[in-house]
Protein backbone atom coordinates (compact mmCIF):
# COMPACT_ATOMS: atom_id res chain seq x y z
CA UNK A 1 0.00 0.00 0.00
CA UNK A 2 1.15 3.58 -0.68
CA UNK A 3 1.71 6.18 2.04
CA UNK A 4 -1.76 7.71 1.67
CA UNK A 5 -3.46 4.36 2.18
CA UNK A 6 -1.15 3.60 5.11
CA UNK A 7 -2.11 6.86 6.81
CA UNK A 8 -5.78 6.14 6.23
CA UNK A 9 -5.49 2.66 7.70
CA UNK A 10 -3.49 3.94 10.67
CA UNK A 11 -5.99 6.72 11.31
CA UNK A 12 -9.06 4.48 11.33
CA UNK A 13 -7.26 1.79 13.37
CA UNK A 14 -6.25 4.29 16.08
CA UNK A 15 -9.71 5.83 16.02
CA UNK A 16 -11.30 2.40 16.33
CA UNK A 17 -9.22 1.75 19.43
CA UNK A 18 -10.25 5.08 20.95
CA UNK A 19 -13.93 4.52 20.24
CA UNK A 20 -14.14 0.87 21.26
CA UNK A 21 -12.24 1.44 24.50
CA UNK A 22 -15.68 2.16 25.96
CA UNK A 23 -17.02 -1.13 24.66
CA UNK A 24 -14.25 -2.83 26.65
CA UNK A 25 -15.05 -0.76 29.74
CA UNK A 26 -18.84 -1.26 29.68
CA UNK A 27 -19.19 -4.92 30.81
CA UNK A 28 -16.60 -4.45 33.57
CA UNK A 29 -18.22 -1.22 34.73
CA UNK A 30 -21.67 -2.83 34.78
CA UNK A 31 -20.39 -5.90 36.61
CA UNK A 32 -18.77 -3.70 39.26
CA UNK A 33 -22.06 -1.76 39.65
CA UNK A 34 -24.22 -4.88 39.78
CA UNK A 35 -24.41 -4.95 43.59
CA UNK A 36 -24.65 -1.22 44.28
CA UNK A 37 -27.30 -0.51 41.65
CA UNK A 38 -29.00 -3.90 41.79
CA UNK A 39 -28.23 -4.93 38.20
CA UNK A 40 -29.35 -8.45 37.29
CA UNK A 41 -27.83 -10.43 34.43
CA UNK A 42 -30.71 -9.42 32.17
CA UNK A 43 -30.24 -5.74 33.11
CA UNK A 44 -26.60 -5.81 32.04
CA UNK A 45 -27.45 -7.56 28.78
CA UNK A 46 -30.41 -5.25 28.12
CA UNK A 47 -28.30 -2.10 28.50
CA UNK A 48 -25.73 -3.43 26.05
CA UNK A 49 -28.52 -4.57 23.73
CA UNK A 50 -29.99 -1.06 23.72
CA UNK A 51 -26.55 0.35 22.89
CA UNK A 52 -26.00 -2.12 20.07
CA UNK A 53 -29.57 -1.78 18.76
CA UNK A 54 -29.30 1.99 18.31
CA UNK A 55 -25.88 1.49 16.75
CA UNK A 56 -27.21 -1.18 14.40
CA UNK A 57 -30.32 0.70 13.28
CA UNK A 58 -28.37 3.86 12.49
CA UNK A 59 -25.29 2.34 10.81
CA UNK A 60 -26.75 2.07 7.29
CA UNK A 61 -27.88 5.71 7.57
CA UNK A 62 -24.48 6.88 8.77
CA UNK A 63 -22.77 4.79 6.07
CA UNK A 64 -24.85 6.52 3.39
CA UNK A 65 -24.18 9.89 5.06
CA UNK A 66 -20.42 9.23 5.01
CA UNK A 67 -20.62 8.65 1.26
CA UNK A 68 -22.13 12.16 0.93
CA UNK A 69 -20.29 14.30 3.50
CA UNK A 70 -17.08 12.30 3.98
CA UNK A 71 -15.65 10.14 6.71
CA UNK A 72 -13.59 12.53 8.82
CA UNK A 73 -16.43 14.59 10.37
CA UNK A 74 -18.21 11.42 11.48
CA UNK A 75 -14.97 9.82 12.70
CA UNK A 76 -14.08 12.67 15.06
CA UNK A 77 -17.61 13.48 16.21
CA UNK A 78 -18.50 9.85 16.97
CA UNK A 79 -15.56 9.37 19.35
CA UNK A 80 -16.34 12.62 21.16
CA UNK A 81 -20.03 11.68 21.47
CA UNK A 82 -19.39 8.18 22.83
CA UNK A 83 -16.83 9.53 25.29
CA UNK A 84 -19.27 12.20 26.52
CA UNK A 85 -22.09 9.73 27.14
CA UNK A 86 -19.94 7.11 28.88
CA UNK A 87 -18.30 9.82 30.99
CA UNK A 88 -21.80 10.64 32.19
CA UNK A 89 -22.32 7.05 33.38
CA UNK A 90 -19.48 7.58 35.86
CA UNK A 91 -21.63 9.94 37.93
CA UNK A 92 -25.19 8.58 37.80
CA UNK A 93 -26.79 6.71 40.70
CA UNK A 94 -29.94 5.59 38.87
CA UNK A 95 -30.23 2.33 36.96
CA UNK A 96 -32.64 3.92 34.49
CA UNK A 97 -30.43 6.93 33.79
CA UNK A 98 -27.44 4.62 33.41
CA UNK A 99 -29.32 2.66 30.76
CA UNK A 100 -30.41 5.83 28.93
CA UNK A 101 -26.85 7.14 28.67
CA UNK A 102 -25.52 3.81 27.41
CA UNK A 103 -28.38 3.62 24.89
CA UNK A 104 -27.65 7.09 23.48
CA UNK A 105 -23.94 6.26 23.25
CA UNK A 106 -24.96 3.81 20.53
CA UNK A 107 -25.28 6.77 18.13
CA UNK A 108 -21.53 7.19 18.32
CA UNK A 109 -20.98 3.55 17.43
CA UNK A 110 -23.42 3.87 14.54
CA UNK A 111 -21.52 6.86 13.16
CA UNK A 112 -18.03 5.43 13.67
CA UNK A 113 -18.06 1.94 12.20
CA UNK A 114 -19.37 2.27 8.61
CA UNK A 115 -16.88 4.91 7.48
CA UNK A 116 -14.04 3.23 9.38
CA UNK A 117 -14.69 -0.20 7.90
CA UNK A 118 -15.10 1.13 4.35
CA UNK A 119 -11.95 3.25 4.62
CA UNK A 120 -9.96 0.27 5.91
CA UNK A 121 -11.16 -2.23 3.30
CA UNK A 122 -10.59 0.18 0.42
CA UNK A 123 -7.13 1.02 1.77
CA UNK A 124 -6.20 -2.64 1.31
CA UNK A 125 -7.16 -2.56 -2.36
CA UNK A 126 -8.04 -5.56 -4.46
CA UNK A 127 -5.29 -7.78 -3.05
CA UNK A 128 -5.29 -7.12 0.70
CA UNK A 129 -8.82 -6.04 1.53
CA UNK A 130 -9.37 -8.61 4.29
CA UNK A 131 -5.94 -7.99 5.82
CA UNK A 132 -6.51 -4.23 5.91
CA UNK A 133 -9.98 -4.70 7.42
CA UNK A 134 -8.48 -6.99 10.05
CA UNK A 135 -5.94 -4.28 10.93
CA UNK A 136 -8.83 -1.88 11.45
CA UNK A 137 -10.56 -4.39 13.73
CA UNK A 138 -7.20 -5.02 15.45
CA UNK A 139 -7.17 -1.36 16.44
CA UNK A 140 -10.63 -1.63 17.92
CA UNK A 141 -9.84 -4.80 19.79
CA UNK A 142 -6.57 -3.42 21.18
CA UNK A 143 -8.47 -0.38 22.39
CA UNK A 144 -11.13 -2.58 23.99
CA UNK A 145 -8.55 -4.90 25.49
CA UNK A 146 -5.96 -2.53 26.92
CA UNK A 147 -7.43 0.96 27.07
CA UNK A 148 -10.83 -0.49 28.02
CA UNK A 149 -10.73 -3.82 29.84
CA UNK A 150 -7.21 -3.78 31.32
CA UNK A 151 -6.81 -0.09 32.22
CA UNK A 152 -10.50 0.24 33.04
CA UNK A 153 -10.45 -2.83 35.27
CA UNK A 154 -7.35 -1.59 37.05
CA UNK A 155 -8.82 1.88 37.61
CA UNK A 156 -12.06 0.36 38.94
CA UNK A 157 -10.24 -2.10 41.19
CA UNK A 158 -7.75 0.46 42.52
CA UNK A 159 -9.88 3.60 42.74
CA UNK A 160 -13.54 4.00 41.76
CA UNK A 161 -15.54 4.46 38.57
CA UNK A 162 -14.82 8.19 38.30
CA UNK A 163 -11.18 7.33 37.76
CA UNK A 164 -12.29 6.17 34.30
CA UNK A 165 -12.17 9.85 33.32
CA UNK A 166 -8.52 9.06 32.53
CA UNK A 167 -9.83 7.02 29.58
CA UNK A 168 -12.06 9.95 28.58
CA UNK A 169 -9.04 12.24 28.36
CA UNK A 170 -7.11 9.73 26.24
CA UNK A 171 -9.92 9.12 23.74
CA UNK A 172 -10.62 12.85 23.27
CA UNK A 173 -6.93 13.51 22.68
CA UNK A 174 -6.70 10.75 20.06
CA UNK A 175 -9.83 11.99 18.28
CA UNK A 176 -8.56 15.55 17.99
CA UNK A 177 -5.05 14.59 16.90
CA UNK A 178 -4.45 11.29 15.07
CA UNK A 179 -8.01 10.70 13.85
CA UNK A 180 -8.54 14.27 12.67
CA UNK A 181 -5.18 14.28 10.88
CA UNK A 182 -5.17 10.86 9.21
CA UNK A 183 -8.74 9.86 8.43
CA UNK A 184 -9.36 11.22 4.90
CA UNK A 185 -11.94 13.93 4.36
CA UNK A 186 -13.69 11.88 1.65
CA UNK A 187 -14.19 8.17 1.22
CA UNK A 188 -12.57 6.32 -1.66
CA UNK A 189 -14.90 4.59 -4.10
CA UNK A 190 -14.42 1.45 -6.21
CA UNK A 191 -12.79 1.93 -9.60
CA UNK A 192 -15.38 -0.42 -10.98
CA UNK A 193 -18.03 -2.46 -9.25
CA UNK A 194 -17.58 -6.17 -9.55
CA UNK A 195 -20.27 -8.03 -11.44
CA UNK A 196 -23.35 -7.80 -9.27
CA UNK A 197 -24.73 -11.27 -8.62
CA UNK A 198 -28.19 -9.82 -8.04
CA UNK A 199 -28.37 -8.79 -11.70
CA UNK A 200 -27.79 -12.29 -13.06
CA UNK A 201 -30.17 -13.17 -15.84
CA UNK A 202 -31.76 -16.25 -14.35
CA UNK A 203 -34.26 -16.10 -11.50
CA UNK A 204 -32.71 -19.28 -10.15
CA UNK A 205 -29.36 -17.53 -9.87
CA UNK A 206 -30.96 -14.63 -8.03
CA UNK A 207 -32.74 -17.00 -5.64
CA UNK A 208 -29.45 -18.81 -5.02
CA UNK A 209 -27.74 -15.50 -4.26
CA UNK A 210 -30.31 -14.49 -1.67
CA UNK A 211 -30.34 -17.98 -0.20
CA UNK A 212 -26.56 -17.95 0.27
CA UNK A 213 -26.75 -14.43 1.70
CA UNK A 214 -29.31 -15.66 4.26
CA UNK A 215 -26.96 -18.49 5.26
CA UNK A 216 -24.15 -15.95 5.63
CA UNK A 217 -26.32 -13.81 7.90
CA UNK A 218 -27.21 -16.83 10.06
CA UNK A 219 -23.51 -17.67 10.43
CA UNK A 220 -22.83 -14.03 11.33
CA UNK A 221 -25.62 -14.00 13.94
CA UNK A 222 -24.44 -17.20 15.64
CA UNK A 223 -20.82 -16.10 15.73
CA UNK A 224 -21.76 -12.63 16.98
CA UNK A 225 -24.04 -14.07 19.67
CA UNK A 226 -21.19 -16.19 21.02
CA UNK A 227 -18.70 -13.33 21.20
CA UNK A 228 -21.16 -10.80 22.60
CA UNK A 229 -22.22 -13.26 25.28
CA UNK A 230 -18.57 -13.88 26.18
CA UNK A 231 -17.83 -10.15 26.40
CA UNK A 232 -21.02 -9.41 28.32
CA UNK A 233 -21.13 -12.25 30.83
CA UNK A 234 -17.66 -13.62 31.47
CA UNK A 235 -16.89 -10.56 33.68
CA UNK A 236 -20.16 -11.19 35.60
CA UNK A 237 -19.39 -14.93 35.68
CA UNK A 238 -16.01 -14.18 37.25
CA UNK A 239 -17.52 -11.60 39.60
CA UNK A 240 -19.97 -14.22 40.88
CA UNK A 241 -17.00 -16.52 41.56
CA UNK A 242 -15.41 -13.85 43.77
CA UNK A 243 -12.75 -12.69 41.28
CA UNK A 244 -11.77 -9.00 41.54
CA UNK A 245 -12.30 -6.54 38.64
CA UNK A 246 -8.58 -6.12 37.98
CA UNK A 247 -8.19 -9.90 37.49
CA UNK A 248 -11.15 -10.51 35.21
CA UNK A 249 -10.39 -7.23 33.46
CA UNK A 250 -6.95 -8.63 32.62
CA UNK A 251 -8.49 -11.94 31.52
CA UNK A 252 -10.87 -10.13 29.17
CA UNK A 253 -7.99 -8.00 27.94
CA UNK A 254 -5.94 -11.06 27.00
CA UNK A 255 -8.92 -12.65 25.26
CA UNK A 256 -9.62 -9.50 23.24
CA UNK A 257 -5.96 -9.00 22.35
CA UNK A 258 -5.69 -12.61 21.24
CA UNK A 259 -8.79 -12.09 19.09
CA UNK A 260 -7.11 -9.07 17.50
CA UNK A 261 -3.93 -10.97 16.70
CA UNK A 262 -5.91 -13.90 15.40
CA UNK A 263 -7.96 -11.54 13.26
CA UNK A 264 -4.90 -10.18 11.46
CA UNK A 265 -3.25 -13.59 11.03
CA UNK A 266 -6.47 -15.22 9.86
CA UNK A 267 -7.27 -12.42 7.38
CA UNK A 268 -3.76 -12.61 5.94
CA UNK A 269 -4.15 -16.35 5.43
CA UNK A 270 -7.62 -15.83 3.95
CA UNK A 271 -6.23 -13.37 1.40
CA UNK A 272 -3.70 -16.03 0.39
CA UNK A 273 -5.49 -19.37 0.60
CA UNK A 274 -9.20 -18.52 0.57
CA UNK A 275 -11.89 -17.07 2.79
CA UNK A 276 -14.08 -20.12 3.39
CA UNK A 277 -11.32 -22.48 4.48
CA UNK A 278 -9.87 -20.13 7.12
CA UNK A 279 -13.30 -19.02 8.32
CA UNK A 280 -14.59 -22.54 8.94
CA UNK A 281 -11.39 -23.83 10.56
CA UNK A 282 -11.08 -20.89 12.96
CA UNK A 283 -14.73 -21.10 14.03
CA UNK A 284 -14.34 -24.82 14.79
CA UNK A 285 -11.15 -24.25 16.79
CA UNK A 286 -12.72 -21.32 18.65
CA UNK A 287 -15.71 -23.43 19.66
CA UNK A 288 -13.42 -26.20 20.90
CA UNK A 289 -11.31 -23.83 23.00
CA UNK A 290 -14.39 -22.18 24.49
CA UNK A 291 -15.72 -25.61 25.43
CA UNK A 292 -12.48 -26.35 27.33
CA UNK A 293 -12.81 -23.03 29.17
CA UNK A 294 -16.37 -23.76 30.29
CA UNK A 295 -15.30 -27.16 31.61
CA UNK A 296 -12.31 -25.69 33.51
CA UNK A 297 -13.39 -22.11 34.17
CA UNK A 298 -11.53 -21.63 37.47
CA UNK A 299 -8.21 -23.21 36.54
CA UNK A 300 -5.10 -22.09 34.68
CA UNK A 301 -6.03 -24.49 31.88
CA UNK A 302 -9.41 -22.81 31.57
CA UNK A 303 -7.89 -19.33 31.46
CA UNK A 304 -5.41 -20.43 28.79
CA UNK A 305 -8.25 -21.96 26.74
CA UNK A 306 -10.23 -18.72 27.08
CA UNK A 307 -7.36 -16.74 25.59
CA UNK A 308 -6.94 -19.29 22.80
CA UNK A 309 -10.66 -19.12 22.07
CA UNK A 310 -10.26 -15.42 21.31
CA UNK A 311 -7.27 -16.17 19.07
CA UNK A 312 -9.26 -18.72 17.08
CA UNK A 313 -12.64 -17.01 16.69
CA UNK A 314 -11.02 -13.60 16.17
CA UNK A 315 -10.65 -13.86 12.36
CA UNK A 316 -14.28 -14.77 11.73
CA UNK A 317 -15.64 -11.29 12.48
CA UNK A 318 -13.48 -9.66 9.80
CA UNK A 319 -13.98 -12.46 7.30
CA UNK A 320 -17.77 -12.45 7.62
CA UNK A 321 -17.97 -8.66 7.23
CA UNK A 322 -15.65 -8.64 4.20
CA UNK A 323 -17.62 -11.50 2.66
CA UNK A 324 -20.75 -9.40 3.04
CA UNK A 325 -19.09 -6.28 1.60
CA UNK A 326 -18.09 -8.16 -1.52
CA UNK A 327 -21.71 -8.94 -2.29
CA UNK A 328 -22.41 -5.20 -2.74
CA UNK A 329 -19.15 -3.55 -3.91
CA UNK A 330 -20.88 -0.44 -5.30
CA UNK A 331 -22.21 0.62 -1.85
CA UNK A 332 -19.29 -0.21 0.39
CA UNK A 333 -19.91 2.20 3.29
CA UNK A 334 -23.67 1.74 3.44
CA UNK A 335 -23.42 -2.07 3.27
CA UNK A 336 -20.60 -2.04 5.81
CA UNK A 337 -23.09 -0.32 8.08
CA UNK A 338 -25.75 -2.90 7.33
CA UNK A 339 -23.56 -5.95 7.95
CA UNK A 340 -21.93 -4.47 11.04
CA UNK A 341 -25.31 -3.35 12.32
CA UNK A 342 -26.73 -6.82 11.83
CA UNK A 343 -23.67 -8.28 13.54
CA UNK A 344 -24.05 -6.03 16.56
CA UNK A 345 -27.79 -6.30 17.05
CA UNK A 346 -27.93 -10.07 16.54
CA UNK A 347 -25.10 -10.56 19.00
CA UNK A 348 -26.49 -8.20 21.61
CA UNK A 349 -30.01 -9.58 21.16
CA UNK A 350 -28.79 -13.12 21.64
CA UNK A 351 -26.82 -12.08 24.71
CA UNK A 352 -29.94 -10.45 26.17
CA UNK A 353 -31.95 -13.65 25.69
CA UNK A 354 -29.12 -15.60 27.29
CA UNK A 355 -29.21 -13.15 30.22
CA UNK A 356 -32.93 -13.74 30.71
CA UNK A 357 -32.37 -17.50 30.72
CA UNK A 358 -29.33 -17.15 32.99
CA UNK A 359 -31.42 -15.43 35.67
CA UNK A 360 -33.70 -18.49 35.67
CA UNK A 361 -31.36 -21.39 35.01
CA UNK A 362 -27.94 -20.11 36.09
CA UNK A 363 -25.24 -18.28 34.19
CA UNK A 364 -22.73 -21.19 33.98
CA UNK A 365 -25.27 -23.49 32.33
CA UNK A 366 -26.25 -20.88 29.74
CA UNK A 367 -22.65 -20.02 28.89
CA UNK A 368 -22.13 -23.72 28.19
CA UNK A 369 -24.17 -23.33 24.97
CA UNK A 370 -21.77 -20.82 23.41
CA UNK A 371 -19.28 -23.35 21.97
CA UNK A 372 -22.12 -25.01 20.07
CA UNK A 373 -23.15 -21.66 18.60
CA UNK A 374 -19.65 -21.31 17.11
CA UNK A 375 -19.77 -24.84 15.71
CA UNK A 376 -23.12 -24.12 14.04
CA UNK A 377 -21.72 -20.87 12.66
CA UNK A 378 -18.92 -22.88 11.02
CA UNK A 379 -21.49 -25.12 9.32
CA UNK A 380 -23.51 -22.21 7.94
CA UNK A 381 -20.36 -20.37 6.81
CA UNK A 382 -19.23 -23.48 4.93
CA UNK A 383 -22.60 -23.60 3.11
CA UNK A 384 -22.74 -19.85 2.42
CA UNK A 385 -19.33 -19.08 0.95
CA UNK A 386 -18.11 -20.18 -2.48
CA UNK A 387 -14.96 -22.24 -2.97
CA UNK A 388 -13.33 -19.27 -4.69
CA UNK A 389 -13.55 -15.76 -3.33
CA UNK A 390 -15.20 -12.98 -5.31
CA UNK A 391 -12.75 -10.26 -6.43
CA UNK A 392 -12.49 -7.13 -4.31
CA UNK A 393 -12.77 -3.77 -6.15
CA UNK A 394 -9.74 -1.48 -6.54
CA UNK A 395 -10.29 1.93 -4.89
CA UNK A 396 -9.83 5.38 -6.41
CA UNK A 397 -10.33 8.76 -4.70
CA UNK A 398 -13.86 10.04 -4.57
CA UNK A 399 -14.76 12.48 -7.33
CA UNK A 400 -14.93 15.45 -4.97
CA UNK A 401 -11.29 14.96 -4.02
CA UNK A 402 -10.20 15.27 -7.62
CA UNK A 403 -12.25 18.44 -8.00
CA UNK A 404 -10.71 20.28 -5.08
CA UNK A 405 -7.31 21.31 -6.56
CA UNK A 406 -8.96 23.00 -9.52
CA UNK A 407 -11.50 24.80 -7.36
Amino acid sequence: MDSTRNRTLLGVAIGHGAHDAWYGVAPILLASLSVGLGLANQDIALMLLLYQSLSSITQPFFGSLAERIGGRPLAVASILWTTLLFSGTLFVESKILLGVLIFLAGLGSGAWHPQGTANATMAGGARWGATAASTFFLGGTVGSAFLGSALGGWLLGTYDRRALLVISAITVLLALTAVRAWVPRWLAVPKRAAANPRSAAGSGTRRAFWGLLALLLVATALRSFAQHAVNTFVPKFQQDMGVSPDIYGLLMSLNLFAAALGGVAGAYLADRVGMRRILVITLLLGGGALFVFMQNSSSLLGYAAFVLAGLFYGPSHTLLVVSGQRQFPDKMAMMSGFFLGFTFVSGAGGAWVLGLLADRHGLPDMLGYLPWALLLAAVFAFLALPRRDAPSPEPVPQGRVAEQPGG
Side-chain angles (χ1 to χ4, degrees):
M1 293 187 293
D2 59 32
S3 59
T4 300
R5 293 189 192 180
N6 285 334
R7 284 195 299 271
T8 297
L9 186 56
L10 184 61
V12 294
I14 290 175
H16 201 183
H19 182 276
D20 279 17
W22 294 109
Y23 184 68
V25 166
I28 297 171
L29 174 64
L30 293 174
S32 69
L33 294 175
S34 60
V35 176
L37 294 184
L39 301 179
N41 292 319
Q42 60 183 301
D43 294 326
I44 294 173
L46 179 60
M47 289 180 186
L48 296 178
L49 172 61
L50 291 173
Y51 170 86
Q52 296 287 20
S53 296
L54 186 58
S55 169
S56 302
I57 292 169
T58 57
Q59 282 199 41
F61 164 76
F62 281 117
S64 180
L65 184 63
E67 291 168 350
R68 295 198 300 270
I69 71 170
R72 184 187 298 158
L74 294 176
V76 174
S78 61
I79 296 172
L80 297 180
W81 175 263
T82 302
T83 297
L84 174 65
L85 272 294
F86 270 103
S87 297
T89 67
L90 309 181
F91 298 91
V92 301
E93 300 296 337
S94 163
K95 180 167 67 173
I96 294 176
L97 185 55
L98 178 67
V100 169
L101 290 174
I102 291 177
F103 169 68
L104 293 176
L107 283 174
S109 178
W112 168 259
H113 287 92
Q115 62 78 29
T117 308
N119 266 318
T121 304
M122 298 303 285
R127 181 67 182 89
W128 300 108
T131 303
S134 73
T135 303
F136 167 73
F137 290 120
L138 169 66
T141 307
V142 168
S144 294
F146 293 105
L147 189 54
S149 295
L151 179 59
W154 180 78
L155 290 170
L156 283 168
T158 306
Y159 303 102
D160 59 24
R161 58 175 160 152
R162 295 182 183 180
L164 295 176
L165 287 173
V166 171
I167 298 177
S168 302
I170 295 172
T171 57
V172 168
L173 179 64
L174 290 174
L176 296 179
T177 55
V179 175
R180 186 172 180 271
W182 293 334
V183 173
R185 177 66 178 84
W186 300 105
L187 294 174
V189 296
K191 180 184 296 183
R192 67 182 189 280
N196 192 336
R198 293 168 292 160
S199 62
S203 61
T205 302
R206 290 195 296 270
R207 285 196 298 270
F209 168 78
W210 291 112
L212 293 175
L213 181 62
L215 292 174
L216 180 65
L217 291 175
V218 172
T220 299
L222 287 167
R223 187 265 176 212
S224 181
F225 158 62
Q227 185 172 24
H228 274 77
V230 165
N231 293 341
T232 301
F233 289 117
V234 166
K236 182 61 165 58
F237 179 48
Q238 295 286 297
Q239 174 86 10
D240 291 345
M241 295 172 62
V243 180
S244 64
D246 54 335
I247 298 299
Y248 60 72
L250 177 61
L251 180 64
M252 293 304 300
S253 174
L254 292 174
N255 172 272
L256 290 168
F257 183 60
L261 293 180
V264 174
Y268 175 78
L269 290 173
D271 277 331
R272 293 180 64 87
V273 304
M275 194 82 68
R276 183 171 74 164
R277 182 181 304 175
I278 300 302
L279 179 56
V280 171
I281 290 173
T282 54
L283 283 169
L284 292 174
L285 291 174
L290 199 57
F291 178 81
V292 173
F293 166 68
M294 291 309 305
Q295 300 300 311
N296 304 272
S297 55
S298 60
S299 68
L300 185 60
L301 172 63
Y303 286 166
F306 185 66
V307 175
L308 285 175
L311 180 71
F312 290 138
Y313 65 59
S316 52
H317 174 57
T318 300
L319 300 184
L320 287 165
V321 170
V322 172
S323 296
Q325 285 177 329
R326 289 179 179 177
Q327 307 304 313
F328 303 89
D330 52 338
K331 287 290 184 181
M332 187 73 75
M334 186 176 71
M335 296 315 299
S336 295
F338 171 77
F339 281 101
L340 284 172
F342 178 81
T343 298
F344 293 161
V345 76
S346 60
W352 177 61
V353 172
L354 187 142
L356 290 173
L357 295 172
D359 285 333
R360 296 184 179 184
H361 305 291
L363 187 55
D365 289 342
M366 294 301 102
L367 291 178
Y369 289 104
L370 300 184
W372 304 107
L374 289 176
L375 296 181
L376 282 174
V379 173
F380 281 102
F382 179 82
L383 296 174
L385 296 185
R387 291 181 179 273
R388 294 184 179 180
D389 298 335
S392 184
E394 184 70 29
V396 294
Q398 194 179 53
R400 299 185 190 180
V401 176
E403 294 168 5
Q404 287 175 352

